[in-house]
């Protein structure tokens, strides 16, 4: 397993102090530098150490309270250090979407992977067969949604000489105009029959993604989830699940509807084997200040707690050409912008170090390397000030940064989170 602490700090990593060149990441972390006075350059993305820990504990507690397992989607962060902490906080495993992600997980010691896609790439299947054969403790589950997909998987696994069957779950599509997945019960049954005709695959459950329900609202999501649990019960009654697996997997749950998933999964009747009720929400680890702040189920269930946005992008005012305009040095290369623009939250005064609310300051656009700010009359902002921005959409925030300072509330950097996109 790679030792991330021994990676050498150099020009590859944005914003790190130039005088740290040649240190290892572990050595730099041990210095506990201050984000604002320790030599970091702007723009710099920071993760709140306290908020990350809070969010990890909150979902662990939520899952325990509702009898759920969870395999958070690793594509959110692609950060093995965060995977380790998610696993330490009760995660069953980590979810992936594509083979590269699974390879990263395995390189960093993840023993349980749920791949939320039909895997038909023969090269990836050959690699997977070797991983499964080499490690009897490695558990891998992936979607199937078509007889043709089953055929391709079977051919590739037989060609690879696989000795362990690959566990698969049938993906139930979220609707006629939704994304992937078998659309009807009959379609699902055809896929199950195709799996049963192979020796390389074994059917262990059903799954899907309720976030793709067209026009999703609570009623529509709940109706689709009832279809999913009914499919699990029908297939179990028909003896379609392989009893050698020892459990039946029923999985759903993105970051917007996991409360409804928990309620419907709680209604699932007893089946012939224990049921692994598996959530796959991933954005919770950092949360955000936009998209997921609005969508999180904790808005509907405040008695269960609340997630905290952990990202803050700090950039510096480099131009103040008019009383109504300012520009900082962070842009599309640094900030997520696929869902919403960043939100100006605080200003750190370049003269005094005082941090104050970003009153009267709004981000109105991004260039490649500039944020456009509109400043209202009386907004206190000058060249050299640092502007702290909240971001929307964790997935496209993490993937712009290879090494992210993990920062305590007083500005002390206690670690660096390495990403692998």
């Amino acid at each position: 397993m790679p030792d991330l602490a021994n990676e050498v700090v150099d020009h590859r990593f944005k914003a790190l102090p130039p005088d740290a060149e040649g240190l290892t990441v572990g050595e730099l972390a041990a210095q506990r530098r201050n984000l604002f006075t320790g030599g970091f350059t702007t723009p710099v993305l920071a993760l709140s150490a306290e908020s990350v820990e809070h969010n990890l504990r909150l979902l662990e507690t939520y899952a325990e309270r509702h009898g759920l397992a969870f395999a958070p989607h690793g594509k959110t962060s692609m950060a093995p250090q965060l995977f380790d902490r998610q696993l330490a906080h009760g995660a069953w495993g980590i979810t992936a979407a594509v083979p590269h992600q699974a390879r990263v997980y395995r390189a960093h010691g993840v023993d349980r992977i749920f791949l939320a896609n039909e895997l038909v790439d023969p090269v990836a299947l050959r690699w997977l067969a070797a991983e499964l054969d080499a490690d009897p403790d490695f558990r891998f589950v992936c979607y199937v949604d078509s007889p043709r997909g089953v055929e391709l998987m079977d051919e590739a696994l037989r060609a690879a000489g696989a000795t362990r069957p690959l566990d698969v779950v049938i993906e139930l599509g979220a609707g006629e105009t939704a994304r992937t997945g078998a659309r009807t019960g009959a379609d699902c049954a055809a896929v199950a029959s195709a799996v049963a005709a192979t020796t390389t695959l074994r059917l262990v459950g059903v799954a899907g993604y309720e976030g793709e329900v067209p026009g999703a609202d609570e009623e529509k999501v709940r109706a689709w989830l009832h279809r999913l649990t009914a499919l699990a019960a029908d297939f179990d009654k028909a003896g379609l699940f392989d009893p050698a697996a020892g459990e039946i997997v029923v999985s759903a749950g993105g970051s917007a509807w996991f409360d409804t998933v928990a309620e419907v999964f709680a209604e699932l009747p007893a089946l012939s084997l224990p049921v692994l009720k598996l959530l796959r929400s991933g954005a919770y680890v950092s949360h955000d200040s936009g998209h997921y702040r609005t969508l999180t189920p904790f808005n509907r269930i405040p008695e269960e707690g609340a997630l905290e946005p952990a990202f803050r992008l700090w950039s510096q005012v480099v131009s103040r050409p008019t009383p109504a305009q300012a520009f900082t040095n962070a842009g599309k290369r640094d900030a997520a912008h696929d869902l919403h623009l960043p939100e100006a939250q605080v200003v750190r005064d370049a003269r005094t170090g005082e941090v104050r609310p970003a009153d009267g300051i709004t981000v109105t656009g991004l260039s490649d390397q500039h944020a456009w700010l509109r400043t209202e009359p009386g907004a206190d902002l000058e060249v050299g000030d640092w502007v702290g921005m909240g971001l929307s959409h964790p997935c496209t925030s993490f993937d712009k940064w290879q090494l992210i300072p993990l920062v305590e509330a007083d500005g002390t950097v206690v670690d660096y989170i390495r990403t692998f996109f």
Side-chain angles (χ1 to χ4, degrees):
M1 188 187 310
D3 186 351
L4 298 178
N6 285 326
E7 188 159 16
V8 175
V9 173
D10 58 25
H11 62 277
R12 293 171 297 162
F13 304 119
K14 295 192 290 186
L16 297 193
D19 66 349
E21 181 98 9
L23 296 177
T24 66
V25 172
E27 289 168 341
L28 180 57
Q31 293 181 356
R32 296 177 65 85
R33 297 195 186 197
N34 186 278
L35 186 72
F36 306 108
T37 62
F40 293 84
T41 63
T42 57
V44 57
L45 180 66
L47 269 175
S48 163
E50 293 88 351
S51 294
V52 168
E53 178 63 22
H54 168 84
N55 294 342
L56 289 167
R57 291 185 181 277
L58 182 62
L59 197 68
E60 177 184 24
T61 301
Y62 180 86
E64 289 177 349
R65 184 181 298 127
H66 293 278
L68 300 167
F70 65 106
H73 213 315
K75 71 173 174 61
T76 298
S77 71
M78 288 305 295
Q81 292 151 287
L82 295 181
F83 300 163
D84 286 347
R85 293 181 64 180
Q86 288 171 312
L87 293 166
H89 280 279
W92 172 90
I94 306 293
T95 294
V98 293
H100 160 70
Q101 293 166 0
R103 289 186 62 205
V104 172
Y105 302 177
R106 288 298 288 160
H108 291 88
V110 176
D111 289 330
R112 290 174 176 165
I113 297 173
F114 185 102
L115 193 137
N117 247 331
E118 187 168 65
L119 182 58
V120 296
D121 181 337
V123 176
L125 287 161
R126 183 166 62 246
W127 168 82
L128 177 59
E131 287 289 305
L132 288 167
D133 290 348
D135 184 356
D137 294 325
F138 175 36
R139 179 88 191 273
F140 186 95
V141 181
C142 75
Y143 282 176
V144 288
D145 78 351
S146 64
R148 173 59 175 160
V150 170
E151 178 185 6
L152 290 169
M153 295 172 77
D154 179 50
E155 287 177 356
L157 292 168
R158 284 190 288 108
T163 61
R164 283 180 63 188
L166 173 59
D167 287 349
V168 295
V169 291
I170 293 177
E171 182 192 7
L172 175 66
E176 284 301 317
T177 60
R179 198 166 61 189
T180 55
R183 295 306 199 236
T184 67
D187 292 338
C188 291
V191 179
S193 295
V195 171
T198 74
T199 58
T200 55
L201 307 176
R202 67 176 183 178
L203 185 61
V204 300
V206 297
Y209 176 44
E210 74 290 342
E212 284 295 315
V213 170
D217 59 25
E218 187 172 355
E219 181 180 356
K220 292 176 182 176
V221 167
R222 190 178 297 275
W224 178 82
L225 286 164
H226 279 128
R227 286 184 61 205
L228 183 69
T229 55
L231 184 68
D234 291 346
F235 277 16
D236 183 51
K237 186 176 180 180
L240 298 179
F241 297 128
D242 191 327
E247 65 185 4
I248 296 169
V249 179
V250 181
S251 179
S255 295
W257 295 102
F258 58 73
D259 57 333
T260 309
V261 173
E263 291 172 8
V264 175
F265 279 12
E267 301 166 1
L268 188 65
L271 303 182
S272 63
L273 294 169
V275 178
L276 182 73
K277 302 173 183 177
L278 192 64
L279 287 182
R280 306 192 306 275
S281 314
Y284 80 96
V285 68
S286 66
H287 198 44
D288 75 0
S289 297
H291 185 67
Y292 288 106
R293 177 177 61 188
T294 302
L295 290 183
T296 176
F298 287 113
N299 292 338
R300 297 186 291 271
I301 47 173
E303 68 279 5
E304 299 263 17
L307 294 168
E308 297 177 358
F311 277 123
R312 181 159 282 168
L313 177 65
W314 290 96
S315 62
Q316 199 165 20
V317 179
V318 294
S319 181
R320 188 79 160 94
T322 74
Q325 222 176 7
F327 294 86
T328 76
N329 61 350
K332 294 177 181 178
R333 306 295 182 182
D334 314 297
H337 57 91
D338 55 319
L339 295 178
H340 302 97
L341 289 170
E343 173 185 85
Q345 295 178 331
V346 294
V347 175
R348 186 177 190 276
D349 193 289
R351 299 178 187 273
T352 67
E354 174 196 5
V355 176
R356 59 181 179 269
D359 294 336
I361 302 171
T362 305
V363 179
T364 60
L366 295 176
S367 300
D368 275 358
Q369 210 62 68
H370 290 92
W372 296 56
L373 306 186
R374 182 180 67 242
T375 53
E376 304 298 334
D380 187 5
L381 193 67
E382 67 175 348
V383 171
D385 289 345
W386 287 35
V387 179
M389 303 177 189
L391 301 178
S392 178
H393 198 187
C395 301
T396 48
S397 298
F398 276 107
D399 73 4
K400 294 179 180 296
W401 295 82
Q402 289 183 292
L403 203 59
I404 305 171
L406 187 67
V407 185
E408 292 182 337
D410 66 357
T412 301
V413 179
V414 295
D415 203 354
Y416 297 83
I417 303 300
R418 182 74 158 94
T419 65
F420 293 86
F421 285 94

